Amino acid sequence: MSRGFNKNLNLTKEIVLRLAVAGCFIIAATTSPFFMSALIRAYFSKKSRENAWRAAERLRELSKKKIVSVKELPNGEIRVNLTHKGEVLVRQYKLEELQIVQPKKWDKNWRVIIYDIPHSHKNARDAFRMKIKDLGLYQLQKSVWVSPYDCFAEIEFLCGVFDLDLNKHVLYFKTPEIPSESKIIRHFCLRFSKNTI
């Protein structure tokens, strides 16, 4: 992968994720053809502002690809929003970065994820299984996975990304005991046994 491609990818990610957090960007009324550069200088990181012309060009490309929408308001202000295509890209970026936070101390409860996803959702089922494996969950049975750490928010996010119904296609619950517990404790390298006080 070329260095230039990496820079473009990072700029795209920065623009899209910042828009996702802010909701929209607005720049004051202007007739200047350089409003994109002004927008970059106003809203983005110092690194982006130092290369405002390149970042502005990237923003124009995202507009052409319909990832962002650039509109002039009746009062002359310029408003930049994510499109539906841009929102999908945000979810992809967040999916790539998704991780389960491990607390300093285990609460000695297990989180169990059971899924029953119909064949009509095969792609979603395969993607869901691959992602929960990537997140480090332990496969207890074919469609039963276990984690010692709270991961409800992550599972809820995955259901949203893959258009699955939490509580219908996917069940999540917490329990103090599971089969093969000692083996799973070793798998996760948990420091204390269940009997440790």
Side-chain angles (χ1 to χ4, degrees):
M1 187 178 292
S2 73
R3 194 172 177 181
F5 184 83
N6 276 327
K7 285 184 178 179
N8 276 342
L9 190 62
N10 290 339
L11 265 178
T12 297
K13 189 171 184 178
E14 180 179 357
I15 290 169
V16 168
L17 290 180
R18 281 179 177 263
L19 262 173
V21 172
C24 71
F25 297 138
I26 295 179
I27 188 168
T30 178
T31 57
S32 169
F34 304 108
F35 80 89
M36 287 284 200
S37 293
L39 180 70
I40 294 296
R41 286 193 295 272
Y43 286 101
F44 295 97
S45 69
K46 181 179 179 182
K47 189 173 181 180
S48 293
R49 290 197 299 269
E50 288 171 352
N51 297 281
W53 62 271
R54 183 169 59 85
E57 185 58 33
R58 189 62 188 153
L59 190 56
R60 288 189 186 92
E61 290 174 12
L62 295 178
S63 179
K64 288 178 182 178
K65 293 178 179 178
K66 302 189 184 304
I67 291 172
V68 301
S69 168
V70 180
K71 292 182 180 179
E72 185 173 355
L73 303 177
N75 63 1
E77 291 180 336
I78 303 295
R79 183 186 183 100
V80 182
N81 287 88
L82 282 176
T83 63
H84 174 69
K85 191 173 179 181
E87 290 171 353
V88 170
L89 191 56
V90 168
R91 295 205 302 184
Q92 290 176 356
Y93 286 140
K94 289 185 176 180
L95 185 62
E96 291 169 5
E97 298 174 353
L98 193 66
Q99 291 183 339
I100 295 173
V101 176
Q102 296 184 13
K104 292 182 178 179
K105 186 176 180 181
W106 177 39
D107 66 1
K108 300 182 182 180
N109 285 300
W110 299 101
R111 283 73 181 178
V112 180
I113 293 87
I114 302 174
Y115 62 87
D116 184 10
I117 304 170
H119 188 71
S120 58
H121 292 64
K122 182 180 183 301
N123 289 341
R125 182 182 64 204
D126 292 346
F128 181 82
R129 181 180 65 247
M130 185 179 302
K131 192 60 190 178
I132 60 176
K133 182 178 180 180
D134 288 346
L135 286 173
L137 276 71
Y138 180 89
Q139 188 173 20
L140 190 60
Q141 290 187 353
K142 185 177 181 181
S143 299
V144 181
W145 294 73
V146 177
S147 173
Y149 312 117
D150 179 28
C151 53
F152 180 79
E154 290 76 13
I155 297 301
E156 186 178 41
F157 176 75
L158 291 178
C159 287
V161 169
F162 300 127
D163 196 23
L164 300 172
D165 190 336
L166 191 60
N167 297 324
K168 179 181 178 183
H169 296 131
V170 180
L171 296 178
Y172 176 103
F173 61 91
K174 184 167 72 171
T175 179
E177 295 182 357
I178 53 172
S180 306
E181 190 172 67
S182 58
K183 180 180 179 181
I184 301 171
I185 286 174
R186 289 194 300 273
H187 172 81
F188 284 104
C189 301
L190 297 171
R191 292 183 63 185
F192 304 105
S193 73
K194 295 280 286 190
N195 295 324
T196 300
I197 298 176

